[in-house]
């Protein structure tokens, strides 16, 4: 059976603004049902890429397909499949929450019965039903963000493009927002999300891409990238007594790359596999060290970003 | 922290604001109309009573400007405001095609803007009752006004695509639409002039000049000028709609660049001058007269633009918020930043009349200037008036803050009339004025009266009427300014009191 058509595919994508290259030779694939995190410094081209995918901007050249459809040839069909949430939330401030969603439901030509159902569902999902009759201008930033997400979902798109959706939100609002995105991911939607807050992405992203100076310098499943980077494992060992002895035993291990002692904790950069870790633990206990905790801390998105990106902008 | 916008809404509850301003200005206006009517009746005798009906219907011509400017204002702000607020993108990626989106905006704008045309309904009913006009005639006038609204909304919408902010969109649309209309309506080229609404409206009103005079070849073919006008509107609206559609599909490639716009305007002026120069000159009409007509009409349009701009451009909320922030006191802003109201009016009147006065007064013109000199004067005059317009609109939006509702229209009338005063003097001493006389009457009730008294020449004492018109307009404008100042001071006091009660600095 042939591979399914990816939800997003770009080839040789280039975008110039008045001679400035925002995206260059970009080749990206996002699979169906993936939650793809787009990371990169400011000015790396994340917003430009998302706007092109949403058909808001046209590429200078190169091909861009969404759900197998060329964005230049079939913009209307793509509108039906894509929900785009921009980085700055703009809304018709004088409208009520319900009118705002109703307006976009009509703009997507939803039948009255479907419209009512979607409206109710989205008010519940975004927890805005208590604010349904209030003016958009009176909402807090977090609520506006949720309303914008509701607008993005009004036509039940299969691909969601979220540009810095949690930027500027307080911790509670960020957690709420992450919950909604996780729920959408569980429903099988493909989500392409850019964020500066890597903690948010690591929570639910199945794949990431690093943009730098308009180029995609790294892309793929998080586990694959980590494997490619051959990153060392970080071990954290909590020792209740005989700290000096424990440190000496760790240093003797041929797999210990570095060691840092912080109170009762030993932070070890360890190049060995699981078996080598078991050996180290056995040697510690055999050497009379009382080990209260022995845990592996995997490298995350932050490390991928730091290693994959030089922090330069285009 | 207190929500500023919420507070402004609460303060603006009209029950707290001085309603007396509306009443006083209303009385002043009624008194002025009563005085003007009796003065004209004194001049014209019983003849005037017979002409009241046509005069009332003649006022509908004024609504051509109201519909045009309201359409340009609203249309010009539309897409530009969406861009400014960042709401355009979310609309572009819906299931609506660019054409549907453009058409939806146009219909919405027209529906709301067309409301101003209904203000003319009492005049039409009065005319029907007094002047014996048929219902069909009145309906045709409204049909043309509807077409006017459609076309100018579409034109404003198109111009809005080139602006980044709502206010500048309105400004650009007003200036651009004004120049376009000025050139089109002023050209004595039959095919162009036939396609403009002013002759058609006058034809329908039947009070001043037969429209055939302005469109002999087409009228000769038996095509009703009203039909031509509607056709022109339909084509113009469709062309504008296509431009907007193109923009919405690809905003990065706007329908025009600034260079193209300037080239277009230069082309139109060149065409106009070329047509003027090629116009068959006979004993009755000279090129100088025609150019004078163009200049006068342009001036009229500019004055109307400034007046309606300052009267209708929304600026009140912004100033209320400035007051709230305490950035500048009402008096400081009014007198310190913007100059005194009186100085503004004098400056505006002087500048807006610069072109026609120069044409009328320059001895070398009267001695017979060349066509090139006149053409140059026209272009330079336009540029000067444009600068005056920008100056007036930018620095004097204070007029908008305080002049409420009915008084805004009063301000419009007053400023229009004060600017027209010197023209009355010019007309009284200029030969062969009939080709531009109808245009002047559109926005100037005293001239309508003059023409009704004597359809061919101004009355025996035109300068007296002109002086009266200046006097009345000055009283109206100054009373309006005084009331505006009072209202602003009241608002400032209310805001200060509210802040004090809330303990907010």
């Amino acid at each position: 059976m042939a591979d399914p058509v990816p939800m997003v595919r770009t080839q040789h994508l280039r975008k110039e603004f008045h001679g400035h290259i925002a995206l260059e030779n970009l080749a990206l694939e996002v699979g169906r049902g993936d939650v793809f995190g787009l990371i990169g410094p400011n000015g790396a081209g994340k917003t430009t890429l998302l706007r092109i995918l949403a058909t808001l901007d046209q590429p200078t050249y190169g091909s861009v397909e969404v759900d197998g459809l060329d964005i230049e040839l079939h913009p209307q069909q793509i509108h039906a499949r894509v929900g785009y949430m921009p980085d700055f939330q703009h809304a018709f401030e004088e409208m009520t929450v319900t009118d705002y969603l109703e307006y976009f439901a009509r703009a997507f030509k939803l039948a009255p019965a479907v419209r009512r159902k979607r409206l109710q569902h989205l008010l519940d999902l975004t927890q805005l039903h208590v604010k349904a009759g209030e003016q958009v201008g009176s909402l807090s930033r977090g609520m506006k963000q949720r309303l914008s997400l509701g607008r993005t979902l009004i036509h039940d798109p299969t691909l969601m493009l979220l540009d810095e959706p949690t930027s500027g939100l307080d911790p509670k609002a960020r957690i709420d927002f992450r919950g909604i995105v996780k729920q959408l991911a569980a429903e099988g939607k493909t989500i392409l999300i850019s964020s500066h807050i890597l903690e948010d992405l690591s929570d639910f992203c199945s794949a990431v891409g690093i943009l730098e100076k308009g180029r995609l310098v790294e892309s793929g499943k998080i586990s694959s990238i980590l494997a490619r980077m051959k990153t060392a494992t970080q071990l954290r060992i909590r020792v209740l007594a005989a700290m000096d002895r424990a440190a000496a035993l760790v240093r003797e291990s041929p797999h210990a790359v570095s060691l840092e002692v912080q109170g009762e904790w030993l932070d070890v950069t360890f190049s060995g596999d699981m078996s080598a870790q078991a050996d180290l633990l056995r040697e510690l206990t055999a050497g009379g060290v009382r080990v209260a905790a022995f845990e592996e801390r995997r490298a995350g998105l932050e490390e991928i970003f730091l290693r994959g990106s030089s922090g330069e902008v285009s | 922290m207190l929500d500023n916008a919420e507070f402004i809404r609460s303060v603006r509850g009209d029950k707290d604001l001085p309603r007396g301003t509306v009443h006083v200005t209303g009385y002043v206006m009624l008194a002025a109309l009563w005085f003007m009517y009796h003065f004209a009746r004194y001049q014209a005798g019983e003849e005037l009573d017979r002409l009241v009906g046509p005069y009332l219907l003649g006022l509908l011509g004024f609504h051509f400007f109201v519909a045009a400017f309201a359409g340009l204002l609203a249309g010009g702000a539309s897409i530009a405001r969406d861009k400014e607020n960042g709401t355009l993108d979310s609309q572009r990626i819906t299931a609506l095609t660019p054409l549907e989106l453009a058409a939806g905006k146009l219909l919405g704008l027209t529906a709301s803007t067309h409301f101003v045309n209904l203000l003319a309904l009492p005049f039409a009913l009065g005319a029907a009752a007094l002047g014996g006009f048929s219902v069909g005639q009145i309906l045709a006038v409204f049909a043309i006004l509807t077409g006017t609204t459609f076309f100018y909304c579409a034109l404003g919408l198109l111009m809005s695509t080139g602006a980044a902010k709502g206010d500048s969109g309105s400004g650009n649309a007003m200036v651009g639409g004004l120049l376009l209309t000025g050139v089109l309506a002023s050209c004595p080229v039959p095919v162009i002039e036939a396609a403009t609404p002013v002759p058609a409206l006058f034809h329908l009103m039947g009070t001043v000049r037969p429209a055939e005079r302005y469109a002999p070849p087409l009228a000769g073919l038996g095509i009703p000028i009203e039909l031509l006008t509607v056709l022109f509107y339909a084509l113009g609206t469709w062309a504008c709609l296509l431009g907007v559609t193109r923009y919405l599909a690809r905003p990065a490639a706007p329908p025009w660049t600034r260079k193209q716009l300037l080239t277009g305007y230069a082309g139109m002026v060149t065409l106009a001058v070329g047509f003027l120069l090629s116009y068959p000159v006979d004993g009755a009409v000279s090129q100088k007269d025609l150019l004078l007509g163009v200049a006068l009409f342009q001036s009229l349009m500019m004055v109307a633009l400034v007046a309606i701009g300052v009267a209708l451009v929304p600026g009140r909320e912004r100033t209320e918020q400035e007051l709230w922030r305490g950035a500048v006191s009402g008096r400081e802003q009014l007198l310190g930043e913007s100059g005194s109201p009186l100085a503004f009016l004098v400056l505006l009147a002087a500048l807006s009349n610069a072109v026609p006065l120069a044409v009328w007064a320059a001895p070398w013109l009267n001695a017979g200037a060349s066509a090139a000199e006149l053409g140059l004067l026209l272009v330079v005059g336009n540029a000067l008036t444009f600068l005056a317009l920008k100056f007036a609109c930018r620095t004097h939006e204070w007029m908008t803050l305080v002049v409420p509702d009915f008084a805004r229209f009063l301000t419009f009338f007053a400023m229009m009339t004060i600017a027209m005063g010197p023209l009355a003097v010019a007309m009284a001493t200029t030969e062969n004025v009939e080709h531009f006389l109808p245009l002047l009457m559109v926005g100037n009730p005293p001239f309508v009266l003059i023409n009704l008294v004597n359809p061919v020449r101004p009355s025996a004492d035109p300068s007296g009427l002109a002086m009266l018109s200046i006097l009345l307009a000055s009283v109206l404008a100054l009373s309006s300014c005084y009331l505006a100042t009072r209202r602003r001071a009241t608002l400032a006091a209310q805001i200060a009191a509210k802040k004090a009660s809330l303990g907010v600095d």
Side-chain angles (χ1 to χ4, degrees):
Chain A
M1 189 176 145
D3 286 343
V5 179
M7 183 54 83
V8 172
R9 176 189 281 156
T10 72
Q11 288 176 311
H12 309 297
L13 173 60
R14 181 184 178 93
K15 177 66 182 175
E16 294 176 12
F17 292 107
H18 309 296
H20 166 79
I21 301 168
L23 294 174
E24 190 171 12
N25 200 24
L26 194 81
L28 172 73
E29 275 200 12
V30 178
R32 288 168 189 278
D34 276 356
V35 180
F36 191 97
L38 207 52
I39 54 183
N42 286 331
K46 303 187 295 293
T47 298
T48 305
L49 175 61
L50 293 180
R51 286 181 60 85
I52 288 175
L53 291 173
T55 74
L56 287 169
D57 288 330
Q58 281 76 37
T60 306
Y61 66 74
S63 75
V64 180
E65 289 178 5
V66 171
D67 202 9
L69 297 165
D70 189 300
I71 61 156
E72 300 244 49
L73 300 177
H74 308 283
Q76 292 304 126
Q77 286 95 318
I78 288 171
H79 293 169
R81 290 164 166 79
V82 171
Y84 171 65
M85 183 174 162
D87 50 350
F88 293 104
Q89 302 316 316
H90 311 287
F92 302 103
E93 305 270 310
E94 69 283 5
M95 277 185 173
T96 66
V97 167
T98 307
D99 287 346
Y100 180 73
L101 292 174
E102 174 88 16
Y103 172 82
F104 281 98
R106 284 172 186 267
F108 276 104
K109 302 178 180 175
L110 302 183
V114 179
R115 217 158 55 212
R116 280 192 294 275
K117 205 171 155 186
R118 286 298 297 167
L119 213 66
Q120 198 52 52
H121 170 67
L122 291 172
L123 286 173
D124 289 341
L125 179 76
T126 54
Q127 297 165 18
L128 284 172
H129 42 269
V130 287
K131 297 282 182 182
E134 294 194 15
Q135 280 191 321
V136 173
S138 69
L139 299 182
S140 70
R141 184 170 180 146
M143 287 177 185
K144 279 184 185 167
Q145 208 90 333
R146 277 187 270 152
L147 178 63
S148 180
L149 183 68
R151 196 259 307 151
T152 308
L153 286 164
I154 195 81
H155 56 302
D156 198 15
T158 46
L159 170 65
M160 297 187 63
L161 306 170
L162 310 179
D163 194 1
E164 301 282 356
T166 54
S167 141
L169 296 187
D170 62 41
K172 168 76 169 64
R174 270 174 47 201
I175 291 167
D176 288 347
F177 201 90
R178 283 208 305 250
I180 297 174
V181 174
K182 278 183 192 172
Q183 188 177 333
L184 295 171
E187 288 173 12
K189 292 197 184 302
T190 307
I191 301 173
L192 189 49
I193 180 170
S194 80
S195 178
H196 283 111
I197 305 163
L198 301 182
E199 183 191 344
D200 286 349
L201 296 182
S202 61
D203 204 21
F204 48 69
C205 281
S206 54
V208 292
I210 300 174
L211 266 179
E212 187 172 278
K213 293 179 74 176
R215 292 171 181 272
L216 196 63
V217 294
E218 194 65 71
S219 172
K221 303 280 181 197
I222 294 177
S223 54
S224 313
I225 296 176
L226 287 172
R228 276 205 299 278
M229 288 180 167
K230 294 184 178 156
T231 53
T233 307
Q234 295 293 318
L235 291 180
R236 295 206 85 197
I237 306 167
R238 190 173 190 182
V239 177
L240 295 183
M243 179 58 81
D244 293 343
R245 172 82 184 135
L249 286 169
V250 169
R251 283 197 188 96
E252 285 171 13
S253 166
H255 301 294
V257 178
S258 66
L259 169 69
E260 203 173 322
V261 180
Q262 291 191 346
E264 294 181 332
W265 288 93
L266 295 173
D267 287 331
V268 186
T269 306
F270 195 75
S271 62
D273 57 10
M274 299 282 274
S275 167
Q277 287 180 32
D279 291 344
L280 177 61
L281 179 58
R282 182 165 44 78
E283 282 165 22
L284 286 171
T285 50
V289 177
R290 293 186 67 196
V291 178
F294 189 97
E295 61 192 42
E296 177 184 305
R297 193 160 57 88
R298 302 265 331 157
L301 276 181
E302 219 162 279
E303 186 164 350
I304 291 178
F305 178 60
L306 290 173
R307 285 182 174 222
S309 154
S310 63
E312 291 180 81
V313 296
S314 56
Chain B
M1 185 183 159
L2 185 68
D3 185 320
N4 185 19
E6 187 63 34
F7 169 71
I8 292 296
R9 272 196 293 276
S10 73
V11 165
R12 191 181 284 166
D14 274 347
K15 64 183 189 312
D16 297 330
L17 295 177
R19 303 289 292 177
T21 57
V22 180
H23 300 146
V24 172
T25 43
Y27 293 141
V28 170
M29 187 177 181
L30 284 175
L33 283 174
W34 179 84
F35 184 70
M36 281 169 61
Y37 172 77
H38 283 280
F39 187 84
R41 198 164 187 275
Y42 171 75
Q43 293 267 322
E46 297 302 317
E47 179 82 353
L48 192 65
D49 290 339
R50 191 176 57 77
L51 298 167
V52 170
Y55 168 64
L56 284 178
L57 192 63
L59 285 179
L60 288 183
F62 168 76
H63 271 267
F64 161 73
F65 291 96
V66 176
F69 289 133
L72 287 170
L73 260 179
S78 176
I79 289 178
R81 186 152 292 147
D82 270 337
K83 282 192 272 185
E84 181 182 2
N85 296 338
T87 48
L88 185 63
D89 284 348
S90 53
Q91 297 172 71
R92 283 181 54 221
I93 53 174
T94 60
L96 299 172
T97 63
L99 180 60
E100 286 173 330
L101 193 55
K105 284 187 180 296
L106 177 60
L107 284 173
L109 282 168
T110 307
S112 54
T113 308
H114 191 48
F115 176 75
V116 298
N117 291 332
L118 298 181
L119 295 174
L121 205 55
F123 296 114
L125 294 175
L130 294 167
F133 292 94
S134 72
V135 175
Q137 245 177 317
I138 290 173
L139 287 179
V141 169
F142 274 96
I144 289 181
L145 286 177
T146 307
T148 305
T149 312
F150 253 109
F151 172 67
Y152 281 98
C153 280
L155 188 61
L157 204 56
L158 181 64
M159 294 186 168
S160 186
T161 62
K165 292 189 172 183
D167 286 351
S168 55
S170 286
N172 291 351
M174 296 264 280
V175 173
L178 169 88
L179 294 176
L180 182 69
T181 307
V183 171
L184 284 180
S186 304
C187 282
V189 181
V191 72
I192 295 180
E193 195 163 57
T196 59
V198 176
L201 281 173
F202 277 107
H203 186 224
L204 283 165
M205 288 179 250
T207 55
V208 269
R209 293 282 167 270
E212 287 77 6
R213 181 182 173 86
Y214 299 93
L218 291 166
L221 291 174
I223 303 173
I225 195 167
E226 296 86 351
L227 188 64
L228 284 174
T229 302
V230 170
L231 186 65
F232 167 77
Y233 278 147
L235 287 173
T237 303
W238 180 244
C240 292
L241 207 55
L242 286 183
V244 177
T245 303
R246 183 167 176 268
Y247 172 81
L248 289 173
R250 280 179 179 262
W256 60 53
T257 63
R258 188 171 292 182
K259 199 184 288 179
Q260 286 169 331
L261 198 64
L262 288 173
T263 311
Y265 176 56
M268 281 197 297
V269 171
T270 310
L271 270 177
V273 173
F275 284 135
L276 285 170
L277 297 181
S278 63
Y279 192 80
V281 177
D282 55 28
V285 180
S286 71
Q287 286 168 346
K288 186 185 113 181
D289 290 330
L290 291 170
L291 273 175
L292 179 60
V294 173
L296 288 172
F297 188 72
Q298 289 278 30
S299 173
L300 172 73
M301 299 288 277
M302 284 293 179
V303 173
L305 175 71
V306 173
I308 205 163
V310 295
L312 298 180
V313 168
R316 200 170 77 176
E317 183 172 352
R318 189 187 313 161
T319 309
E320 282 171 349
Q321 288 181 354
E322 280 170 9
L323 282 172
W324 167 249
R325 289 195 301 271
V328 56
S329 75
R331 192 171 178 77
E332 277 170 353
Q333 180 164 339
L334 209 57
L335 302 180
E337 279 191 2
S338 303
S340 75
L342 182 61
F344 165 55
L345 279 179
V346 171
L347 180 72
L348 185 65
L351 286 174
S352 60
N353 283 298
V355 178
L357 280 179
V359 173
W360 167 68
W364 54 272
L365 282 176
N366 287 329
S370 71
E373 286 170 327
L374 288 169
L376 183 67
L377 183 71
L378 176 64
V379 173
V380 172
N382 269 335
L384 283 176
T385 319
F386 174 76
L387 290 175
L389 168 81
K390 292 291 274 186
F391 173 76
C393 283
R394 287 212 173 167
T395 57
H396 297 284
E397 68 178 30
W398 58 266
M399 183 72 89
T400 72
L401 15 132
V402 264
V403 186
D405 313 323
F406 178 64
R408 291 187 185 195
F409 286 95
L410 170 68
T411 309
F412 179 39
F413 271 104
M415 294 178 72
M416 185 80 95
T417 313
I418 197 171
M420 289 295 106
L423 292 187
V425 181
M427 279 181 60
T429 55
T430 307
E431 294 294 327
N432 302 319
V433 294
E434 55 264 36
H435 55 278
F436 63 82
L437 194 59
L439 302 176
L440 287 176
M441 288 172 190
V442 168
N444 200 6
F447 278 106
V448 177
L449 287 172
I450 291 171
N451 192 62
L452 290 173
V453 173
N454 182 345
V456 179
R457 292 281 298 150
S459 71
D461 182 21
S463 55
L465 267 185
M467 288 304 115
L468 176 69
S469 119
I470 292 173
L471 186 68
L472 282 175
S474 301
V475 170
L476 294 179
L478 288 175
S479 67
S480 186
C481 287
Y482 166 72
L483 294 168
T485 313
R486 253 193 62 198
R487 184 177 161 93
R488 197 184 203 291
T490 309
L491 265 175
Q494 285 175 339
I495 288 174
K498 183 81 177 178
K499 276 180 157 182
S501 71
L502 294 167
V504 182
D505 288 330

